[in-house]
Amino acid sequence: LVVQEHDTAAESLRHRRATLPERELLTKADAEITELAPLLADARARRDAVARDVSRLEDEASSAAAKATEVEKTMYSGAISSPRELQAMQADVQQLQRHRSTLEDRELELMESQEALDAEVSELETRDTTARESSARARADVAAIEAAIDAELSSEHAARTDAAAGLPADLLALYERCRAQAKGIGAARLLGNTCQGCRLTIPASEAILDTIGPTRRYATGDAVIHCDNCGAILVPEA
C-alpha cells in the first residue's frame, strides 16, 4: 500500500505536469506569434513599398523643380535673345512645373496611405510584442513549476524505491502487472466489504480468502487476494 501511495502520488504529479494551465497560456501565446508573423511581414512589405514610392516621387519632384529653376536662370541671364527660343524655354518651365505638381499630388496621396499602413504595422507590432512578452512569462512559469514538480517526483521515486525494497521480488512483479492492467491501481485496501481501488462492495463472507478469487502465498507468508472487479491486490483492514 505504501508503494501504491507513492505510485499514485507520482502519477498525479505527472498528470499535473502535463496539464499545467501555464503551458496552455504558452501554447496560446506562441500560436498568436505564429499567426501574426505573416500578417506583420505583409504589412511591413506594403508600408516599405509605399515608402519607396514616396521617396521616388519626392526625388522626381525635386529634380523637376531643379530643372525648371535652371531653365529660368538661363532665360533671365540675358544669354538668350531669340523670342522663339525664350518662348520654348518658358513652355518647358511650365511643363516641368505641371509635372512637379502632379508628382507632389501623387506623393501626398501615397503619404496618406503610408500613415494608414504605419498604423496597421504599429498595431500588429504591439500585438506581437504583447504575445512575445506573454510567451516569455509563461515559458518561465512553466520551467519553474516543472522544476518544482520534478523535484517532488524525484522524492516520490526515492521513497517508492525504499518502500519497494522491502517487498519480495515476485510479489512486487505481481503488483506491477496488476497495476498495468488496472490503469494505475495495483494494490488497494479492503475496508469492510469495499475495495478502495474501484469502490466495489464485495458480498460479506466469513471466509473472505476463499471467496475473493484464487490466492497464493509469497515470501511474506501472507495470502494474496485480488478484487474480482479491478484485479488489484487487496489488503484487508487490520
Side-chain angles (χ1 to χ4, degrees), residues 217-233:
R217 291 187 179 275
Y218 285 81
T220 57
D222 296 325
V224 176
I225 56 177
H226 297 268
C227 173
D228 280 342
N229 182 56
C230 66
I233 296 172

Side-chain angles (χ1 to χ4, degrees), residues 11-12 40 47 80 84 103 112 116 121 124 152 181 235:
E11 188 63 33
S12 176
L40 188 53
R47 179 198 61 185
I80 307 298
R84 185 183 295 276
L103 291 171
E112 291 179 359
V121 169
L124 289 170
E152 291 185 64
Q181 294 170 0
V235 182

Side-chain angles (χ1 to χ4, degrees), residues 105-185:
D105 289 343
R106 177 57 180 155
E107 182 183 352
L108 287 174
E109 292 176 4
L110 288 177
M111 288 177 70
E112 291 179 359
S113 299
Q114 189 176 22
E115 288 180 3
L117 287 169
D118 283 340
E120 181 182 352
V121 169
S122 178
E123 188 267 339
L124 289 170
E125 287 178 339
T126 297
R127 288 174 57 190
D128 182 69
T129 298
T130 300
R132 290 181 183 279
E133 290 174 348
S134 296
S135 175
R137 285 195 301 270
R139 197 179 305 279
D141 289 343
V142 167
I145 296 172
E146 284 183 341
I149 292 176
D150 288 344
E152 291 185 64
L153 275 170
S154 179
S155 177
E156 287 293 343
H157 288 324
R160 196 262 193 200
T161 298
D162 289 342
L167 293 175
D170 51 359
L171 180 59
L172 184 60
L174 174 63
Y175 162 80
E176 295 288 8
R177 290 196 299 274
C178 292
R179 186 166 176 267
Q181 294 170 0
K183 298 181 180 180
I185 303 299

Side-chain angles (χ1 to χ4, degrees), residues 3-238:
V3 171
Q4 177 67 73
E5 286 174 3
H6 290 304
D7 282 337
T8 300
E11 188 63 33
S12 176
L13 287 169
R14 283 190 289 270
H15 176 73
R16 181 186 165 204
R17 193 183 194 281
T19 58
L20 291 176
E22 291 80 5
R23 185 176 287 107
E24 184 178 347
L25 293 175
L26 174 59
T27 300
K28 182 179 178 181
D30 286 346
E32 185 171 7
I33 292 171
T34 300
E35 179 184 350
L36 287 171
L39 299 178
L40 188 53
D42 177 67
R44 284 171 173 165
R46 287 185 284 115
R47 179 198 61 185
D48 293 345
V50 170
R52 287 192 296 271
D53 286 342
V54 168
S55 179
R56 175 179 56 79
L57 290 171
E58 185 177 1
D59 290 342
E60 290 181 10
S62 297
S63 178
K67 288 179 181 178
T69 300
E70 185 65 26
V71 173
E72 286 182 326
K73 182 179 178 182
T74 303
M75 285 174 57
Y76 297 120
S77 68
I80 307 298
S81 58
S82 170
R84 185 183 295 276
E85 193 173 349
L86 287 172
Q87 186 176 8
M89 294 177 72
Q90 180 63 40
D92 287 343
V93 169
Q94 290 174 350
Q95 166 130 15
L96 287 167
Q97 289 174 339
R98 285 195 299 271
H99 183 53
R100 175 189 177 187
S101 178
T102 299
L103 291 171
E104 289 177 340
D105 289 343
R106 177 57 180 155
E107 182 183 352
L108 287 174
E109 292 176 4
L110 288 177
M111 288 177 70
E112 291 179 359
S113 299
Q114 189 176 22
E115 288 180 3
L117 287 169
D118 283 340
E120 181 182 352
V121 169
S122 178
E123 188 267 339
L124 289 170
E125 287 178 339
T126 297
R127 288 174 57 190
D128 182 69
T129 298
T130 300
R132 290 181 183 279
E133 290 174 348
S134 296
S135 175
R137 285 195 301 270
R139 197 179 305 279
D141 289 343
V142 167
I145 296 172
E146 284 183 341
I149 292 176
D150 288 344
E152 291 185 64
L153 275 170
S154 179
S155 177
E156 287 293 343
H157 288 324
R160 196 262 193 200
T161 298
D162 289 342
L167 293 175
D170 51 359
L171 180 59
L172 184 60
L174 174 63
Y175 162 80
E176 295 288 8
R177 290 196 299 274
C178 292
R179 186 166 176 267
Q181 294 170 0
K183 298 181 180 180
I185 303 299
R189 187 176 295 281
L190 179 65
L191 294 180
N193 298 327
T194 303
C195 167
Q196 297 303 298
C198 63
R199 303 296 177 178
L200 173 70
T201 298
I202 300 170
S205 172
E206 291 292 332
I208 188 70
L209 296 183
D210 294 332
T211 61
I212 306 180
T215 66
R216 289 180 60 190
R217 291 187 179 275
Y218 285 81
T220 57
D222 296 325
V224 176
I225 56 177
H226 297 268
C227 173
D228 280 342
N229 182 56
C230 66
I233 296 172
L234 287 176
V235 182
E237 185 178 17

